[in-house]
Amino acid sequence: MSVHALKTSKVANLRSKVSAEEWQMRVDLAACYRLMDLYGMSDLIANHISVRVPGEPDAFLINAYGLLYEEITASSLLKIDHEGKILAKPDFGPGLDYGVNRAGFVIHSAIHMAKPDVSCVIHTHTWAGMAVSTMECGLLANTQTSMRFAHISYHDFDGVVLDLAARGGLVTDLGDNNAMILRNHGLLTTGATIPEAFNAMHRLELSCKTQIAAMSCNTRLIDVPADVVEATYQNYQPHVRRPFGLLDWPALLRKLDRLDPSFRD
């Protein structure tokens, strides 16, 4: 167990104080934070992943602003409502009165408020995601993996997302998609479940890395016919396959349990 996990485990366990459904969601969300860090998609204490609280449509769980992703546990997550009021938070100890990142609240509340079918929202500032977010061409549908995002959404940069007025534009630009590139900023994915949102972000990040690697080789890239791209995109849609993450999430949890099971605390 890491030193950080040992420190975080001092947060009182909340399992007996929440519903069984909320506790399971807390465990899965904490796992998602650990996995994001494990796969190189964290940014110190920045960025955020949120999930809607079962049975509480106007509340969601999110990270405390001050913890590294590798430190986050089920009990360390904050519960907030759509107006930013903190509904539940643990005692982090003397001098550690962690709150919610303002930009995180604005981005995540916007989507949770507007899309009741969305349970989980993930936002990242990875080097690959930020690099592609600055490219005029956007994400190229030049690999089987990236063709999954052939109709990805885009949101133009207009400053740090601190104003509630930004909510409308984020939701409008996301549209019916489950992934969006925030231009000159980073990446965002959503899902009906945590596994779905994580799977989308993992594949979107891989698509960005692959594009940068291919473009760096200074050779002409192969263009895939538009009809093949569209057919491949359709093969990734919900009506033709099982939900993303259904098979890999249990395996990922087993991986975390082997490495450090403290996310379950």
Side-chain angles (χ1 to χ4, degrees):
M1 186 180 295
S2 69
V3 173
H4 292 305
L6 284 170
K7 290 181 179 179
T8 309
S9 67
K10 292 181 180 179
V11 172
N13 191 290
L14 297 180
R15 184 168 189 169
S16 63
K17 298 182 179 181
V18 301
S19 68
E21 293 77 13
E22 178 178 333
W23 181 251
Q24 184 58 57
M25 200 65 76
R26 283 175 170 271
V27 170
D28 282 336
L29 183 55
C32 191
Y33 275 103
R34 298 290 185 97
L35 289 165
M36 292 291 290
D37 186 67
L38 183 63
Y39 286 99
M41 292 186 281
S42 60
D43 180 16
L44 301 181
I45 64 170
N47 296 163
H48 4 83
I49 311 169
S50 65
V51 69
R52 196 181 302 275
V53 180
E56 299 181 46
D58 296 330
F60 59 93
L61 302 170
I62 198 167
N63 54 318
Y65 190 36
L67 296 180
L68 297 172
Y69 278 21
E70 68 179 63
E71 298 181 285
I72 292 175
T73 65
S75 297
S76 73
L77 296 162
L78 305 184
K79 183 194 293 190
I80 67 175
D81 65 16
H82 292 168
E83 301 308 316
K85 179 183 178 182
I86 296 179
L87 305 176
K89 66 182 294 186
D91 179 3
F92 292 103
L96 299 176
D97 188 26
Y98 298 133
V100 179
N101 176 278
R102 174 67 181 180
F105 159 66
V106 174
I107 293 171
H108 291 253
S109 64
I111 297 172
H112 285 300
M113 289 174 70
K115 295 182 172 294
D117 57 320
V118 167
S119 177
C120 181
V121 182
I122 302 177
H123 171 49
T124 64
H125 290 171
T126 61
W127 65 265
M130 288 191 290
V132 172
S133 80
T134 69
M135 296 179 182
E136 187 175 353
C137 65
L139 184 68
L140 301 177
N142 64 342
T143 66
Q144 176 178 290
T145 299
S146 65
M147 290 176 203
R148 172 176 169 180
F149 305 102
H151 298 301
I152 195 168
S153 298
Y154 292 89
H155 177 72
D156 289 338
F157 184 75
D158 55 3
V160 180
V161 188
L162 300 176
D163 195 325
L164 293 179
R167 284 170 163 172
L170 285 164
V171 171
T172 298
D173 288 341
L174 178 60
D176 294 328
N177 288 330
N178 74 329
M180 181 162 66
I181 293 178
L182 307 175
R183 291 195 184 276
N184 308 96
H185 186 175
L187 307 177
L188 184 144
T189 61
T190 70
T193 65
I194 292 172
E196 277 189 19
F198 176 80
N199 184 282
M201 182 58 76
H202 183 274
R203 296 301 195 275
L204 180 55
E205 174 73 5
L206 182 59
S207 299
C208 290
K209 286 181 176 178
T210 305
Q211 176 170 321
I212 294 167
M215 295 177 75
S216 299
C217 293
N218 195 30
T219 187
R220 182 178 177 83
L221 303 182
I222 298 172
D223 291 325
V224 180
D227 61 329
V228 176
V229 171
E230 182 62 22
T232 305
Y233 168 79
Q234 291 298 332
N235 281 332
Y236 284 115
Q237 300 313 298
H239 65 282
V240 296
R241 67 178 320 283
R242 72 172 71 88
F244 285 104
L246 192 65
L247 292 181
D248 38 316
W249 191 252
L252 289 167
L253 292 182
R254 293 194 297 270
K255 182 181 185 69
L256 284 180
D257 281 331
R258 290 192 298 270
L259 294 172
D260 180 0
S262 65
F263 70 95
R264 296 181 179 277
D265 293 341

